[in-house]
Structures are given as C-alpha cells and as structure tokens.
Amino acid sequence: LGSTVEVEGAEIDEDPDEDDLLGGLKIDTTSEISIPDRLVDQVIGQEHARDVIIKAAKQRRHVMMIGSPGTGKSMLAKAMSELLPKEELQDVLVYHNPDDGNKPKVRTVPAGKGEQIVDAHKEEARKRNQMRSLLMWIIIAVVLGYALIIVGQILVGIIAAGVVYLVFRYLNRGSDAMIPNLLVNNADTKSAPFRDATGAHAGALLGDVRHDPFQSGGMETPSHDRVEAGAIHKANKGVLFVDEINTLDIRSQQHLMTAIQEGEFSITGQSERSSGAMVQTEPVPTDFVMIAAGNLDAMENMHPALRSRIKGYGYEVYMEDTIEDTPEMRRQYVRFIAQEVAKDGRLPEFTAEAIEEVILEAKRRSGRKGHLTLHFRNLGGLVRVAGDIARGEDADFTTREHVLQAKGRSRSIEQQLADDFIERRKDYELQVSDGYVVGRVNGLAVMGEDSGIMLPVMAEVAPSQGPGEVIATGQLKEMAQESVSNVSAIIKKFSDENISEMDIHIQFVQAGQQGVDGDSASITVATAVISALENVGVDQSLAMTGSLSVRGDVLPVGGVTHKIEAAAKAGCTRVIIPQANEQDVMIEEEYEEMIEVIPVSHISEVLDIALEGEAEKDSLVSRLKSITGSALKDQGVS
Ligand code: ADP
C-alpha cells in the first residue's frame, strides 16, 4: 500500500551516479515515461498522507490535511474519490408536494435511474399535452362553428375560443409541475464524486432555492423546480474537499457539521428576503467523506467542534515541504514533468537536459541540502511556462534554454518586487558596494518566501546623558535591541568601554518595505555597532547574514541562497554566511562567478573579514578579532 511507484517504460541504471539528475533513467524525452492510471499513484512524495488517504478511503473516514499550498492536498482528495466504491452512487430527485407547495419531496434512486424517471415523466406529460391539445382544438372548432353558423356572431365565437385556450394552458401548466427535478445526476459518473467547495458561498455549499419573481397568479415556477443542490449534496457518496477551511464563515461550518453528523441536509433558500427562503425540501442525503485542508493557522481559526468531529472520526495529516533527494525520487520528478506535460496536453515534451534543469530547480527551491522541494504547484508552473515558451517558438521539444528563460518569467511577485526594489535603490545610490564606510554594513533579508534583498544597516554611537538606549525604528526594533545586547555582552568582556552608557542609533536603510524579514541581521547590527564604536571602516563590497549568540557564535538563518543571489545582484563581491548554512547554498550558476561565499562560525571571523586594515594592537577590535568561540567560553562569557 502506498509503496513507491516505479517509473515504467524506460531503461533504468540501477546504481546511478550522484550527479545523474535523472536518477539513472536512460531517456531522451519525457514521452518515454509512462504515467500511472490512478491519480493516487501519480502523487509524488507525501508517503504518509498517501497511506492515510488509502486507509481512509477503505474506512470512509474524514481527513484533515495541513500543509503548504501546492503540495498535493486537493490532488490527494481527488485521488481518494477514485478509490471509493462507485456502486453505491445515487441520483436525487425533487418532486412537487401537492399537499404543501413549499415542502418539495425528495427521493433517492440508484445512479442512472434518475434520468429514466424524468424522461418517463416528460413522455407522459407530452402525451397528455398532445391529447389535451387535440381536445382543445376540437372544442375551439365546435365553439367557433356554433357561434358562426348557428348564432352568427363572430366576436362571441372568438371570445369563447380564447377562454377555452386559456383554460387548457392553465391545465397544462399543472401537468409540467408533475415532472420531478433531477437534483443530483450520477448517470455518467465514472468514479465517486469529488467536489471542491473551497471558498464556496453558502448557496454553493449548502444548496439554494432560486427566487421566483412571479410568486402568484399561476405563473410561478413550481418550487421544486427552483431547488438547487449544494456541494454537500453533490458530494454524496464521494469526497467533499474544502481548502482554507478557516475562511468558511462560522454559520457554514456549523451547517457543514450538521450535514456530516446527520448524513442529510434539507435545502432552503439562502437569501432571507427571497421567495426561495419560504421553501424547505425534505432532507437530501449528504453522506460524503470530508477532506478539510489548510495551513497551520487554519487549525487555530477553524470551528473547534468541526475539527474535533474530523479528528474523532478520522485522521489528521501534515504535508511535507521537502523530500530527501535520492535516485528513486529523481526518477519520480522526471515522471512529474511527464505528468504535467500530459495533463496540459499542449506542451512539447521535455528533453533530458530540460528535465535536468527543472530537477536542479527543485533542489534549489528546497532550500536544504540533499532535498527536493515538494511545492509542486509552483514547479508545475515552471514546467508550463517553459513549455509555453517552446510552443510559442513552434519547437518540437521543450529544451534547457526554454526552462532557463521560464525561470526568469515565472518569478514570484516577491521576487519581482525585490528586483524592482534593487533597481530603484540603485537609482537613488542607496546601495554602496565599494570602499569602506564606518558604521555601515550590507545586511541581507528575505522577502516573501523566495527572494532576497540587501538591507543596509547603519549604526551610530554617542555618549548618553542618562542611561544608554538603543534607538531603532520600525518593525526591526526588537531584533536590533537583542543583537545589541548580545554584542554588548561580548564587548564588555574585552574592553573598558561600557556601551550601556551610550546611545546607540540603528537605522535600517529603507526597511519600510513590507514583508521584509530582518530577523537574521544580528551579526550585521553587531558589526555596525563595533565599527561605529571603534571608528573603523567596513568593507562595502561585502554583504552578510547570520544570527548572533550571546557567546559570539554565528548561528544559522533561513533563505541563504536567495540572500546570496541578492547580494550578487546588488554588486557585492563577497558574502558572509553562517557555517551551518553552507550546505543550504544552491545558487544559480550565473552567480557563482560573481560572488565569493565565506562561511563563518564566530563573530571574530566576521570582524576579521569585514573591518578595514590591520587593527591597532591591543584595541578592542584586535582583541575581538583574535578570539574564538572556545576562547570566549574560557573567558566565562555565557
Ligand atoms: P494543494 O491542494 O495542496 O494546494 P494541489 O493538489 O492543488 O495542491 O496541487 C496542484 C498541482 O500540483 C496538482 O494538480 C499537481 O499537478 C501538482 N502536484 C501537487 N502536489 C503533487 C504531488 N505530491 N505529486 C505530484 N504532483 C503534485
């Protein structure tokens, strides 16, 4: 169950080289890869979630899936619907209720029967209407004949004929009301239904009764004909998928809970002032398996009773973001590209080199050494853009060139913003990438998930009138204070300077940009403060990122790859990163020649690299530069 899927239809080298991005597959293009029929076998990674889905399908249990967008939640939900038995499917019919027009009757029949019943009713009504028409025309002829020949009054004849006509029309309307409304039709359904109710409004989720502008006078549409099924009814015997479950309004969540509990739910008009609100059907079956999805916040904001309902009667799974990079996995990624090409139907097949480039991107986007990203929606976007470029050129195949071009185009909004930001700052010459400046350090930050920006930090130190203060502005204030207090603990050990008696001003140049996460700038702040304190210049062709411990250790941070690329784009030639992040570096080839990456593990190394010239003997900087982490420990700084 849920075992790994072998890629079929192509020759495989069982023990491939580590550099072989195709994991030993001997293919020229994606056309040689065969794609499994079942959706559940097409799912890549997410082994745990896949096992749960297969198990839950057997037991008809609800599932809660938590994880990042585009990792396969709706794909798995759909896959589950394929695994549910098809035999149980039902059609649902709504009938006119002669006793109470506002309480239509509901009947369920085996799938396929619904259409037959409606057709039979229609046929019957047609025959009846035919008979009636015939009868009507005979009566009209008799009335007209009588009026003309016997009485000799044409006008009376015409009026009488008109009355006869209207009476018959009215009767025929009644016979239409006898035709049931086929609310749920599963005649052509190949597998159990799958309904995606993400972001559905109440009517689409719970069903609705249309408003009737002609509410009386015999002109109205009979109420049972105005009833519309909701996703909960269409998902009967199948799967109801709701992503971003927490965004569903509370009332809808409550109703959803009722539907799950009772297995049936009456349909009524959802807008209070409409005539539909007077109508309420008999209960309509809602025997579905619910798959609720969302990110971590979704769990907090979700109706607790609904969550415990799912938890109590089902499973909760967490979706993975990355997966270990193995030859077997790489082969599955090759199949992923083949799947996306097949799904789209119009993209030229990918060449081996193009596939390699996509897999390289999957490695890069994972942000972790030895891993591949499982954010497949985005990766699929790259595949489609590359294929579209190839198609636009009428190429026979999608090549590596196309993928490289696509990478430029399928940049996220944040990346585009970041690039724009860098451009604008160049215009204003806020970016400095050469020479030495006292108190100014090129820090690096991440914007959004996948783009870096250079974020210069400036520090100024002045004796304080009262107790010293750290003055920083904006959202990064707390981080600045923390890194200053860490660096002051270190400085205290090595000099007589007591920076707690000074005012330290810290400015993040143009950090007003939204979504900038500067949490990893603490070695930057520390370096800027020491530079300002000692009046030593900082190399501006250098950028840095890293977190600082109170002992002076440089701790790992997130997004190093994007940060390094941002530094290179901004014109820096060297960049300092935490040693612990060395394995996460997966920069694009073009940047490799532009910038030298220097991993460090202690603030002393940072100062050694960043500060100008040889420090004066016995100065604070020289002492700081010469120490190591262990030396600090020996000194008792902790
Ligand atoms: P989610 O519901 O988690 O936001 P989807 O299931 O809608 O993500 O994924 C979007 C598309 O990305 C899918 O239609 C599929 O083509 C691809 N995809 C996502 N996850 C996977 C996966 N684990 N294996 C293969 N393809 C995937």
Side-chain angles (χ1 to χ4, degrees), residues 39 42-46 65 67-77 196 241 243 293 319 335-336 339-340 343 374-378 380 384:
L39 201 54
Q42 292 181 17
V43 176
I44 294 162
Q46 312 299 2
M65 280 191 208
S68 309
T71 48
K73 296 185 292 290
S74 91
M75 188 180 185
L76 276 163
D196 186 343
F241 176 69
D243 202 352
M319 304 291 287
R335 201 192 64 209
F336 165 73
Q339 282 171 193
E340 294 293 307
K343 197 164 84 173
L374 285 169
H375 290 201
F376 281 112
R377 184 181 296 141
N378 293 344
R384 271 184 298 283

Side-chain angles (χ1 to χ4, degrees), residues 364-386:
R364 231 173 68 82
R365 289 192 184 177
S366 75
R368 261 175 98 182
K369 190 184 172 82
H371 281 76
L372 297 163
T373 180
L374 285 169
H375 290 201
F376 281 112
R377 184 181 296 141
N378 293 344
L379 206 59
L382 177 66
V383 169
R384 271 184 298 283
V385 174

Side-chain angles (χ1 to χ4, degrees), residues 136-422:
M136 179 182 82
W137 286 117
I138 291 172
I139 296 178
I140 287 177
V142 169
V143 167
L144 272 178
Y146 183 80
L148 276 179
I149 299 159
I150 312 289
V151 188
Q153 289 264 10
I154 297 184
L155 199 62
V156 171
I158 291 177
I159 290 171
V163 170
V164 172
Y165 178 79
L166 286 177
V167 167
F168 272 89
R169 277 244 356 221
Y170 186 73
L171 289 176
N172 278 357
R173 284 202 53 76
S175 78
D176 278 350
M178 301 316 291
I179 302 175
N181 170 8
L182 183 51
L183 196 63
V184 178
N185 184 359
N186 277 315
D188 298 324
T189 317
K190 300 269 180 297
S191 60
F194 166 78
R195 289 285 156 182
D196 186 343
T198 305
H201 57 86
L205 181 69
L206 307 167
D208 208 346
V209 181
R210 279 197 313 277
H211 179 64
D212 182 10
F214 309 105
Q215 284 178 52
S216 57
M219 289 292 285
E220 74 264 33
T221 312
S223 66
H224 77 280
D225 241 3
R226 290 186 278 127
V227 175
E228 287 172 353
I232 57 170
H233 308 107
K234 292 183 190 158
N236 184 36
K237 302 290 175 196
V239 173
L240 181 75
F241 176 69
V242 186
D243 202 352
E244 297 163 17
I245 181 82
N246 53 316
T247 63
L248 207 60
D249 65 84
I250 289 294
R251 198 180 135 263
S252 291
Q253 290 194 43
Q254 271 159 350
H255 287 319
L256 195 55
M257 211 150 52
T258 311
I260 291 175
Q261 239 154 5
E262 312 282 327
E264 53 181 33
F265 196 86
S266 297
I267 299 176
T268 185
Q270 295 294 335
S271 36
E272 263 166 42
R273 309 249 296 278
S274 119
S275 62
M278 301 188 318
V279 178
Q280 183 167 37
T281 68
E282 288 180 356
V284 179
T286 58
D287 180 20
F288 53 81
V289 175
M290 164 104 181
I291 301 200
N295 53 18
L296 266 179
D297 304 347
M299 299 224 285
E300 281 164 27
N301 300 330
M302 182 178 173
H303 196 301
L306 180 59
R307 177 160 179 221
S308 70
R309 188 84 213 158
I310 296 176
K311 205 170 172 180
Y313 294 86
Y315 301 96
E316 289 189 324
V317 280
Y318 188 77
M319 304 291 287
E320 313 272 352
D321 285 313
T322 63
I323 190 155
E324 206 180 322
D325 179 10
T326 62
E328 159 70 22
M329 227 39 235
R330 289 180 183 180
R331 294 198 288 270
Q332 295 209 21
Y333 274 66
V334 177
R335 201 192 64 209
F336 165 73
I337 300 168
Q339 282 171 193
E340 294 293 307
V341 169
K343 197 164 84 173
D344 187 276
R346 293 167 307 171
L347 310 177
E349 300 282 350
F350 277 51
T351 64
E353 293 75 34
I355 299 171
E356 284 174 352
E357 199 56 47
V358 175
I359 293 179
L360 215 54
E361 185 65 13
K363 272 165 82 78
R364 231 173 68 82
R365 289 192 184 177
S366 75
R368 261 175 98 182
K369 190 184 172 82
H371 281 76
L372 297 163
T373 180
L374 285 169
H375 290 201
F376 281 112
R377 184 181 296 141
N378 293 344
L379 206 59
L382 177 66
V383 169
R384 271 184 298 283
V385 174
D388 278 341
I389 294 173
R391 206 163 64 97
E393 291 176 4
D394 269 335
D396 292 333
F397 295 103
T398 308
T399 64
R400 177 163 184 269
E401 261 321 298
H402 296 133
V403 178
L404 289 176
Q405 275 186 45
K407 273 197 214 173
R409 280 197 211 168
S410 71
R411 289 177 312 161
S412 68
I413 298 288
E414 284 88 355
Q415 269 170 311
Q416 294 177 32
L417 260 179
D419 284 356
D420 183 47
F421 192 40
I422 289 169

